[in-house]
Amino acid sequence: MSYTVNGAAAPGRLRTALGAAAAVAAVLAAAVPAAGTESGAVAAPVPPCSSGQLAADGAERLGVNAVRITVVNDGSAPCVLRGHPAVALAGQGSPGNAKSLTVVRLGPARPVELPPGGAAQTRISFTPVLGEADGYCASGAEPFAAPSMVLGVAGARLQLAPDDGGNFALCGTVVRATAFRPAS
């Protein structure tokens, strides 16, 4: 009996080695399920988070010039959160008093998979108002204070107050925000 491999005659030892390699590959393929599954079925990709799935309680103060915001998947299915938030200061009872802010994006954005109840965080920093009650901006800009911030994420607009009950007080219209990361 004669075998050919790629059009050439295969000697007996090569034929035996090829047969053994094929047998090992077949056994391994049958024993190892597809990545990420136990049954061998291929898992469907996790969809992006939607506005109805996300919730946040408040903004945790990190000194005078930054807050950390934790966003939670409040839905019943996993989702993927990507990117950086949009940020505005709420209008103190009137939309005409709202202040849109320019967000400088810090760090690369990587997808964060959130199981139900899973959380991701972003850190937002800004130029603080100096002084006491009638504070001032070193740049000469007018200080702006608001009791709440609106975070835009995955189509949701989450209105948040500082966890210490104070106001957000900042100089200028620029904030810096990190990309969302898994909560620690």
mmCIF file of all heavy atoms in Angstrom, residues 36-64:
data_model
loop_
_atom_site.group_PDB
_atom_site.id
_atom_site.type_symbol
_atom_site.label_atom_id
_atom_site.label_comp_id
_atom_site.label_asym_id
_atom_site.label_seq_id
_atom_site.Cartn_x
_atom_site.Cartn_y
_atom_site.Cartn_z
ATOM 1 N N GLY A 36 -14.618 29.856 26.245
ATOM 2 C CA GLY A 36 -15.662 30.615 26.934
ATOM 3 C C GLY A 36 -16.950 29.856 27.153
ATOM 4 O O GLY A 36 -17.910 30.415 27.635
ATOM 5 N N THR A 37 -17.011 28.586 26.793
ATOM 6 C CA THR A 37 -18.241 27.829 26.991
ATOM 7 C C THR A 37 -17.919 26.499 27.624
ATOM 8 O O THR A 37 -16.811 26.001 27.546
ATOM 9 C CB THR A 37 -18.965 27.569 25.656
ATOM 10 O OG1 THR A 37 -18.151 26.705 24.863
ATOM 11 C CG2 THR A 37 -19.259 28.852 24.914
ATOM 12 N N GLU A 38 -18.920 25.887 28.253
ATOM 13 C CA GLU A 38 -18.737 24.567 28.827
ATOM 14 C C GLU A 38 -19.304 23.503 27.908
ATOM 15 O O GLU A 38 -18.844 22.382 27.903
ATOM 16 C CB GLU A 38 -19.416 24.502 30.195
ATOM 17 C CG GLU A 38 -18.687 25.344 31.232
ATOM 18 C CD GLU A 38 -19.325 25.229 32.596
ATOM 19 O OE1 GLU A 38 -19.980 24.214 32.876
ATOM 20 O OE2 GLU A 38 -19.147 26.153 33.395
ATOM 21 N N SER A 39 -20.289 23.842 27.109
ATOM 22 C CA SER A 39 -20.942 22.850 26.271
ATOM 23 C C SER A 39 -20.315 22.730 24.899
ATOM 24 O O SER A 39 -20.679 21.849 24.144
ATOM 25 C CB SER A 39 -22.418 23.228 26.100
ATOM 26 O OG SER A 39 -22.500 24.446 25.364
ATOM 27 N N GLY A 40 -19.398 23.606 24.556
ATOM 28 C CA GLY A 40 -18.794 23.577 23.233
ATOM 29 C C GLY A 40 -19.470 24.552 22.280
ATOM 30 O O GLY A 40 -18.983 24.798 21.198
ATOM 31 N N ALA A 41 -20.618 25.124 22.671
ATOM 32 C CA ALA A 41 -21.311 26.085 21.816
ATOM 33 C C ALA A 41 -20.558 27.412 21.858
ATOM 34 O O ALA A 41 -19.959 27.777 22.857
ATOM 35 C CB ALA A 41 -22.741 26.296 22.311
ATOM 36 N N VAL A 42 -20.600 28.137 20.773
ATOM 37 C CA VAL A 42 -19.934 29.442 20.707
ATOM 38 C C VAL A 42 -20.841 30.474 21.364
ATOM 39 O O VAL A 42 -22.019 30.571 21.049
ATOM 40 C CB VAL A 42 -19.632 29.817 19.242
ATOM 41 C CG1 VAL A 42 -19.029 31.198 19.161
ATOM 42 C CG2 VAL A 42 -18.704 28.794 18.622
ATOM 43 N N ALA A 43 -20.291 31.239 22.303
ATOM 44 C CA ALA A 43 -21.071 32.254 23.018
ATOM 45 C C ALA A 43 -21.325 33.457 22.122
ATOM 46 O O ALA A 43 -20.463 33.866 21.358
ATOM 47 C CB ALA A 43 -20.323 32.691 24.272
ATOM 48 N N ALA A 44 -22.528 34.009 22.256
ATOM 49 C CA ALA A 44 -22.877 35.211 21.500
ATOM 50 C C ALA A 44 -22.120 36.398 22.089
ATOM 51 O O ALA A 44 -21.842 36.426 23.287
ATOM 52 C CB ALA A 44 -24.378 35.459 21.582
ATOM 53 N N PRO A 45 -21.772 37.399 21.281
ATOM 54 C CA PRO A 45 -21.078 38.572 21.827
ATOM 55 C C PRO A 45 -21.994 39.332 22.788
ATOM 56 O O PRO A 45 -23.215 39.322 22.638
ATOM 57 C CB PRO A 45 -20.756 39.407 20.587
ATOM 58 C CG PRO A 45 -21.655 38.904 19.515
ATOM 59 C CD PRO A 45 -22.011 37.489 19.858
ATOM 60 N N VAL A 46 -21.388 39.957 23.779
ATOM 61 C CA VAL A 46 -22.146 40.734 24.766
ATOM 62 C C VAL A 46 -22.486 42.081 24.136
ATOM 63 O O VAL A 46 -21.606 42.757 23.616
ATOM 64 C CB VAL A 46 -21.310 40.913 26.054
ATOM 65 C CG1 VAL A 46 -22.046 41.781 27.057
ATOM 66 C CG2 VAL A 46 -20.968 39.559 26.660
ATOM 67 N N PRO A 47 -23.763 42.486 24.183
ATOM 68 C CA PRO A 47 -24.168 43.752 23.546
ATOM 69 C C PRO A 47 -23.701 44.972 24.336
ATOM 70 O O PRO A 47 -23.412 44.874 25.534
ATOM 71 C CB PRO A 47 -25.700 43.665 23.544
ATOM 72 C CG PRO A 47 -26.019 42.793 24.716
ATOM 73 C CD PRO A 47 -24.889 41.789 24.801
ATOM 74 N N PRO A 48 -23.662 46.134 23.686
ATOM 75 C CA PRO A 48 -23.309 47.370 24.391
ATOM 76 C C PRO A 48 -24.358 47.688 25.457
ATOM 77 O O PRO A 48 -25.527 47.324 25.325
ATOM 78 C CB PRO A 48 -23.332 48.437 23.304
ATOM 79 C CG PRO A 48 -23.337 47.710 22.014
ATOM 80 C CD PRO A 48 -23.897 46.345 22.268
ATOM 81 N N CYS A 49 -23.956 48.379 26.507
ATOM 82 C CA CYS A 49 -24.896 48.816 27.539
ATOM 83 C C CYS A 49 -25.876 49.824 26.937
ATOM 84 O O CYS A 49 -25.511 50.599 26.049
ATOM 85 C CB CYS A 49 -24.148 49.468 28.700
ATOM 86 S SG CYS A 49 -23.071 48.341 29.619
ATOM 87 N N SER A 50 -27.090 49.796 27.425
ATOM 88 C CA SER A 50 -28.100 50.757 26.977
ATOM 89 C C SER A 50 -28.472 51.660 28.146
ATOM 90 O O SER A 50 -28.184 51.353 29.307
ATOM 91 C CB SER A 50 -29.339 50.022 26.463
ATOM 92 O OG SER A 50 -29.974 49.338 27.532
ATOM 93 N N SER A 51 -29.133 52.751 27.840
ATOM 94 C CA SER A 51 -29.466 53.723 28.876
ATOM 95 C C SER A 51 -30.339 53.117 29.969
ATOM 96 O O SER A 51 -30.208 53.483 31.131
ATOM 97 C CB SER A 51 -30.148 54.942 28.267
ATOM 98 O OG SER A 51 -31.353 54.567 27.636
ATOM 99 N N GLY A 52 -31.201 52.173 29.637
ATOM 100 C CA GLY A 52 -32.082 51.562 30.633
ATOM 101 C C GLY A 52 -31.377 50.625 31.591
ATOM 102 O O GLY A 52 -31.938 50.262 32.622
ATOM 103 N N GLN A 53 -30.152 50.228 31.280
ATOM 104 C CA GLN A 53 -29.422 49.296 32.140
ATOM 105 C C GLN A 53 -28.562 49.982 33.187
ATOM 106 O O GLN A 53 -28.147 49.345 34.147
ATOM 107 C CB GLN A 53 -28.476 48.422 31.293
ATOM 108 C CG GLN A 53 -29.173 47.357 30.481
ATOM 109 C CD GLN A 53 -28.160 46.579 29.668
ATOM 110 O OE1 GLN A 53 -27.627 47.094 28.698
ATOM 111 N NE2 GLN A 53 -27.906 45.356 30.081
ATOM 112 N N LEU A 54 -28.225 51.242 33.007
ATOM 113 C CA LEU A 54 -27.214 51.878 33.842
ATOM 114 C C LEU A 54 -27.801 52.779 34.920
ATOM 115 O O LEU A 54 -28.794 53.471 34.692
ATOM 116 C CB LEU A 54 -26.259 52.693 32.956
ATOM 117 C CG LEU A 54 -25.522 51.879 31.904
ATOM 118 C CD1 LEU A 54 -24.678 52.795 31.032
ATOM 119 C CD2 LEU A 54 -24.662 50.795 32.540
ATOM 120 N N ALA A 55 -27.159 52.750 36.079
ATOM 121 C CA ALA A 55 -27.551 53.598 37.208
ATOM 122 C C ALA A 55 -26.292 54.068 37.928
ATOM 123 O O ALA A 55 -25.249 53.425 37.843
ATOM 124 C CB ALA A 55 -28.443 52.817 38.170
ATOM 125 N N ALA A 56 -26.409 55.189 38.628
ATOM 126 C CA ALA A 56 -25.307 55.710 39.456
ATOM 127 C C ALA A 56 -25.924 56.439 40.630
ATOM 128 O O ALA A 56 -26.973 57.072 40.502
ATOM 129 C CB ALA A 56 -24.427 56.645 38.643
ATOM 130 N N ASP A 57 -25.276 56.350 41.802
ATOM 131 C CA ASP A 57 -25.829 56.957 43.011
ATOM 132 C C ASP A 57 -25.340 58.367 43.276
ATOM 133 O O ASP A 57 -26.085 59.211 43.716
ATOM 134 C CB ASP A 57 -25.513 56.093 44.228
ATOM 135 C CG ASP A 57 -26.356 54.835 44.269
ATOM 136 O OD1 ASP A 57 -27.445 54.826 43.676
ATOM 137 O OD2 ASP A 57 -25.916 53.852 44.883
ATOM 138 N N GLY A 58 -24.071 58.633 43.064
ATOM 139 C CA GLY A 58 -23.533 59.944 43.380
ATOM 140 C C GLY A 58 -22.093 60.059 42.962
ATOM 141 O O GLY A 58 -21.512 59.126 42.417
ATOM 142 N N ALA A 59 -21.531 61.209 43.211
ATOM 143 C CA ALA A 59 -20.146 61.488 42.855
ATOM 144 C C ALA A 59 -19.327 61.541 44.139
ATOM 145 O O ALA A 59 -19.562 62.385 45.003
ATOM 146 C CB ALA A 59 -20.058 62.811 42.102
ATOM 147 N N GLU A 60 -18.371 60.636 44.258
ATOM 148 C CA GLU A 60 -17.520 60.562 45.443
ATOM 149 C C GLU A 60 -16.393 61.586 45.328
ATOM 150 O O GLU A 60 -15.605 61.550 44.388
ATOM 151 C CB GLU A 60 -16.941 59.157 45.554
ATOM 152 C CG GLU A 60 -15.975 58.959 46.676
ATOM 153 C CD GLU A 60 -15.281 57.607 46.618
ATOM 154 O OE1 GLU A 60 -15.582 56.779 45.737
ATOM 155 O OE2 GLU A 60 -14.406 57.394 47.461
ATOM 156 N N ARG A 61 -16.312 62.499 46.274
ATOM 157 C CA ARG A 61 -15.267 63.532 46.249
ATOM 158 C C ARG A 61 -13.895 62.909 46.441
ATOM 159 O O ARG A 61 -13.691 62.077 47.307
ATOM 160 C CB ARG A 61 -15.464 64.520 47.372
ATOM 161 C CG ARG A 61 -16.449 65.551 47.034
ATOM 162 C CD ARG A 61 -15.900 66.914 46.827
ATOM 163 N NE ARG A 61 -17.075 67.758 46.973
ATOM 164 C CZ ARG A 61 -17.501 68.569 46.044
ATOM 165 N NH1 ARG A 61 -16.828 68.758 44.963
ATOM 166 N NH2 ARG A 61 -18.599 69.252 46.238
ATOM 167 N N LEU A 62 -12.955 63.376 45.631
ATOM 168 C CA LEU A 62 -11.548 62.991 45.745
ATOM 169 C C LEU A 62 -10.740 64.267 45.893
ATOM 170 O O LEU A 62 -10.028 64.671 44.993
ATOM 171 C CB LEU A 62 -11.097 62.217 44.503
ATOM 172 C CG LEU A 62 -11.855 60.937 44.164
ATOM 173 C CD1 LEU A 62 -11.412 60.390 42.821
ATOM 174 C CD2 LEU A 62 -11.675 59.909 45.261
ATOM 175 N N GLY A 63 -10.891 64.959 46.990
ATOM 176 C CA GLY A 63 -10.237 66.247 47.178
ATOM 177 C C GLY A 63 -11.088 67.366 46.617
ATOM 178 O O GLY A 63 -12.272 67.201 46.340
ATOM 179 N N VAL A 64 -10.460 68.537 46.391
ATOM 180 C CA VAL A 64 -11.206 69.711 45.935
ATOM 181 C C VAL A 64 -11.370 69.770 44.423
ATOM 182 O O VAL A 64 -12.154 70.581 43.925
ATOM 183 C CB VAL A 64 -10.540 71.021 46.419
ATOM 184 C CG1 VAL A 64 -10.549 71.096 47.934
ATOM 185 C CG2 VAL A 64 -9.140 71.160 45.872
#
